[in-house]
Amino acid sequence: MKILLLEDNASLAEIIQEILEEKGHQVTWFEDGEKALEHLLEGYDCFVLDIHVPHIDGLELLGEIRAREPKTPAIIISANIELETIQKAYNAGCNDFLKKPFYMVELERKIALLCPTPTRLGLHDGFAFDTGEELLYDKALKAIKLTLKERRFLSLLAKTPNTIVSLHAIEDYVWEGEEASLSSIRSLVKRLRGKLGEESIETQNYGYRLLVPYM
């Protein structure tokens, strides 16, 4: 996972960077928000931001992040735990707030929960689905265009591959709680099979499952 770390305490930053990189992550560390701002669009999977840093503080940077990266998880780390500061952090779009000092296991846990490492599932006939990016690729690694409902349906099935997902769960997730007819669901499955192949999605009496040959 590629993580942007904003922290002006060099000793703490080096500890965070070392431990996260031991876990296999790629950590890019910035001491001030202005420098970090110049590198926001470099494909980060997670942001870990201190508030009180030079030039552009962590909350200002978070505002810039949300304008460009509305869904990428962001964790605020700060010694300031006043209610007003915490509210500002969440209003700016942070996903979690961690009070300094903290144990590294706390940060590791939050990163694991909020920023799961993207995985690519190998499907039939060389197709693959990236559960992190929610993108479908053909055998030439070319992205295949999906509609919103196709993407949500495939993403739902990919959460538990080779396991039946009920019609109720499909309706709730793909149609976001709105009522969906059985014919609408069947039509959606038919379109996806047209892109993936007939053997990719198996029909059961009460749901569907995504067949993944190698797990």
Side-chain angles (χ1 to χ4, degrees):
M1 190 186 311
K2 191 174 180 181
I3 299 172
L4 184 150
L5 171 63
L6 177 64
E7 173 57 65
D8 65 341
N9 183 320
S11 297
L12 176 58
E14 287 171 3
I15 291 171
I16 293 174
Q17 185 173 30
E18 180 181 357
I19 291 177
L20 291 182
E21 288 183 345
E22 285 178 356
K23 297 292 184 180
H25 302 301
Q26 177 186 342
V27 181
T28 305
W29 166 40
F30 297 97
E31 294 184 81
D32 72 77
E34 192 171 65
K35 290 285 181 63
L37 181 60
E38 297 172 3
H39 296 268
L40 282 190
L41 300 180
E42 294 184 0
Y44 293 101
D45 302 303
C46 187
F47 297 94
V48 179
L49 312 172
D50 186 16
I51 294 179
H52 299 295
V53 296
H55 302 120
I56 296 177
D57 70 32
L59 294 185
E60 290 181 80
L61 184 65
L62 181 56
E64 295 290 340
I65 289 169
R66 284 294 167 256
R68 310 172 191 207
E69 301 281 352
K71 294 184 178 180
T72 305
I75 300 168
I76 292 291
I77 54 175
S78 179
N80 187 335
I81 58 168
E82 294 179 359
L83 179 59
E84 182 181 359
T85 300
I86 296 173
Q87 288 177 330
K88 283 182 179 179
Y90 281 105
N91 288 339
C94 83
N95 298 90
D96 210 335
F97 191 103
L98 186 57
K99 175 188 176 296
K100 291 181 180 179
F102 54 83
Y103 292 106
M104 271 302 303
V105 68
E106 294 180 85
L107 179 58
E108 290 176 49
R109 182 62 176 163
K110 289 182 184 296
I111 289 173
L113 289 172
L114 292 171
C115 318
T117 303
T119 58
R120 188 168 291 187
L121 286 176
L123 309 178
H124 282 279
D125 298 325
F127 288 89
F129 183 70
D130 191 311
T131 59
E133 298 178 338
E134 295 187 337
L135 291 175
L136 177 64
Y137 295 93
D138 63 15
K139 62 184 68 178
L141 298 181
K142 181 180 178 181
I144 298 172
K145 187 174 181 180
L146 297 173
T147 66
L148 176 60
K149 283 187 171 58
E150 289 171 350
R151 178 170 55 80
R152 289 185 67 83
F153 180 83
L154 196 52
S155 180
L156 175 64
L157 267 61
K159 292 177 188 292
T160 54
N162 297 323
T163 302
I164 299 168
V165 178
S166 71
L167 294 171
H168 176 73
I170 292 168
E171 180 181 65
D172 187 58
Y173 187 83
V174 179
W175 274 263
E176 300 181 82
E178 295 183 7
E179 187 175 349
S181 65
L182 184 58
S183 62
S184 295
I185 296 175
R186 285 174 174 169
S187 177
L188 177 61
V189 172
K190 183 178 180 180
R191 293 200 306 271
L192 270 174
R193 283 174 173 159
K195 297 178 179 182
L196 280 169
E198 288 295 321
E199 295 183 352
S200 58
I201 301 172
E202 185 176 81
T203 303
Q204 296 292 328
N205 290 333
Y206 53 92
Y208 296 90
R209 65 175 177 170
L210 180 67
L211 297 180
V212 177
Y214 307 107
M215 288 293 293

